[in-house]
Amino acid sequence: QNSSTSLLSAHSSRSSRYPSYSSSSDVDYLIGVDTADAVGAGTTATKVYLTLVGVMGRTREMVLSRTNDASPKMRFGRGNCDVLSIRAPDVGALAAVTVRLEEETSQSVDW
């Protein structure tokens, strides 16, 4: 299944070049995932992982919860617009975002 994703915003005020470590101070990141409302959009992946890469380093790989306490709908489904708040080390201005999916069945998962 395919999904369309976008990062809405991430807050950080410091900058530098790309060291291989992240800073020790945590900040709140606001992550937005907008999934297309089209045939085949969405994911049934068991786990969705996110890594933020910034000018000061990168976060560890973080699991994004597929469940939402405020809604009975699963996140990252067809036509969904999901917003998550994540607290992680400040990596400075974002340069890249890595998303990885994990499926517990033999079914293929891709974005």
Side-chain angles (χ1 to χ4, degrees):
Q1 288 118 355
N2 296 319
S3 292
S4 173
T5 62
S6 63
L7 181 70
L8 295 180
S9 65
H11 172 71
S12 179
S13 60
R14 293 181 278 175
S15 68
S16 153
R17 290 304 300 156
Y18 288 85
S20 59
Y21 59 88
S22 61
S23 73
S24 60
S25 64
D26 287 349
V27 296
D28 291 314
Y29 291 93
L30 188 63
I31 309 297
V33 181
D34 187 16
T35 307
D37 189 8
V39 174
T43 185
T44 58
T46 307
K47 292 184 180 175
V48 178
Y49 297 90
L50 178 79
T51 303
L52 302 175
V53 180
V55 296
M56 296 181 347
R58 67 178 56 232
T59 64
R60 62 176 169 66
E61 189 174 65
M62 301 171 282
V63 177
L64 301 181
S65 175
R66 294 265 343 266
T67 60
N68 180 354
D69 294 337
S71 170
K73 290 193 318 183
M74 293 293 282
R75 288 188 174 126
F76 319 124
R78 177 180 170 174
N80 286 9
C81 181
D82 299 296
V83 178
L84 302 91
S85 179
I86 296 175
R87 187 149 187 85
D90 184 358
V91 296
L94 287 181
V97 175
T98 303
V99 176
R100 183 173 70 85
L101 304 178
E102 183 178 292
E103 183 62 65
E104 289 183 0
T105 69
S106 60
Q107 207 172 29
S108 167
V109 177
D110 64 358
W111 278 17

